[in-house]
Amino acid sequence: MVELKTPGEIEAMRAAGAVVAEALATVRAHAGIGVSLQDLDDVAAEVLRAAGATSPFLGYHPDWAPSPFPGVVCASVGDAVVHGIPGEYRLRDGDLVSIDCGAVLDGWCGDAAVSFTVGTADREALALIAATEEALARGIAAAVPGNRLGDIGAAIGGYVRSCGYGMLADHGGHGIGRRMHEDPHVPNEGRAGRGMRLRPGLVLAVEPMLHAGGGDAYRHDPDGWTLRTADGSRAAHCEHTVAITEDGPVVLTSR
């Protein structure tokens, strides 16, 4: 069931989103050559603790997962697209890193992701990240009252395909509110004018996930969580929690 939020509830979600934004900024500032993904998870956990927030990721156990998720952030490096488990891997020069983080504050959720490079960045990695950020911006711009879910997918997918990149098949964004994952599913590819009509009060997590190799196929790691590009190409992931209002889309996870 799709739930519309009141202006007061959207403000409460903005507070949760601010915690997410702070956690992502702090993780990004801490990331460097030799820093482990577990270190980054610890940094994010401390930001949440200091804000009085909890993590919707830690202990999350959907039906398809073999075990509960063990971290506060999803930390995906190189060909890992999403859901990377933070562990002892230490960042190397040139790594492309995607960090996805959520927070629950006063019963409301925020969810966002950012991609960045560590150390010396190559042109291809920077171009992939820039395209992912642009795809996110275009998806958000389409999230206006009267449009439909397909308009968001068309805005994201049309741009991504024009750049020659691939996208994670069968994955996209989602509704968000009291729970991290709510209806509706938000496609990263679709037909303009199709799907559920967007109304003020709807809050969505918009999250394009791009593959440098151009394909859409992926594979699971043995951990059952990490998704990697099937062709081994690098990936990037960007996400914001966005409220649809009478005045247009409002990003709730910006710093």
Side-chain angles (χ1 to χ4, degrees), residues 120-225:
T120 307
D122 63 78
R123 185 181 304 174
E124 290 78 11
L126 294 177
L128 177 62
I129 293 169
T132 309
E133 292 173 342
E134 178 64 19
L136 175 60
R138 291 182 182 224
I140 292 172
V144 297
N147 269 3
R148 294 182 179 272
L149 279 174
D151 293 306
I152 297 176
I156 293 172
Y159 173 74
V160 172
R161 299 303 184 187
S162 73
C163 295
Y165 293 122
M167 290 186 289
L168 189 64
D170 307 319
H171 286 71
H174 50 89
I176 184 171
R178 291 283 187 184
R179 293 175 291 112
M180 179 171 60
H181 290 128
E182 296 184 351
D183 291 333
H185 171 71
V186 182
N188 284 333
E189 198 158 26
R191 293 178 60 184
R194 292 295 189 89
M196 188 187 78
R197 190 174 297 279
L198 306 180
R199 298 168 57 191
L202 184 62
V203 182
L204 306 173
V206 182
E207 50 178 325
M209 296 157 267
L210 274 62
H211 297 185
D216 297 352
Y218 61 90
R219 60 181 176 85
H220 278 89
D221 267 8
D223 62 31
W225 278 99

Side-chain angles (χ1 to χ4, degrees), residues 13-211:
M13 293 189 69
R14 189 196 296 270
V19 177
V20 175
E22 182 64 23
L24 287 174
T26 305
V27 165
R28 184 169 184 169
H30 190 80
I33 297 169
V35 175
S36 75
L37 299 182
Q38 183 60 59
D39 291 337
L40 299 184
D41 193 70
D42 292 342
V43 166
E46 175 56 26
V47 172
L48 267 61
R49 187 203 63 78
T54 58
S55 170
F57 291 12
L58 185 62
Y60 179 58
H61 194 182
D63 292 342
W64 51 263
S67 60
F69 192 77
V72 168
V73 301
C74 296
S76 307
V77 180
D79 65 344
V81 190
V82 288
H83 303 163
I85 293 177
E88 296 309 312
Y89 175 84
R90 295 189 176 275
L91 296 173
R92 302 170 183 171
D93 188 36
D95 272 345
L96 196 167
V97 185
S98 297
I99 302 293
D100 191 354
C101 183
V104 182
L105 184 67
D106 297 327
W108 294 100
C109 296
D111 188 11
V114 63
S115 290
F116 55 88
T117 55
V118 174
T120 307
D122 63 78
R123 185 181 304 174
E124 290 78 11
L126 294 177
L128 177 62
I129 293 169
T132 309
E133 292 173 342
E134 178 64 19
L136 175 60
R138 291 182 182 224
I140 292 172
V144 297
N147 269 3
R148 294 182 179 272
L149 279 174
D151 293 306
I152 297 176
I156 293 172
Y159 173 74
V160 172
R161 299 303 184 187
S162 73
C163 295
Y165 293 122
M167 290 186 289
L168 189 64
D170 307 319
H171 286 71
H174 50 89
I176 184 171
R178 291 283 187 184
R179 293 175 291 112
M180 179 171 60
H181 290 128
E182 296 184 351
D183 291 333
H185 171 71
V186 182
N188 284 333
E189 198 158 26
R191 293 178 60 184
R194 292 295 189 89
M196 188 187 78
R197 190 174 297 279
L198 306 180
R199 298 168 57 191
L202 184 62
V203 182
L204 306 173
V206 182
E207 50 178 325
M209 296 157 267
L210 274 62
H211 297 185

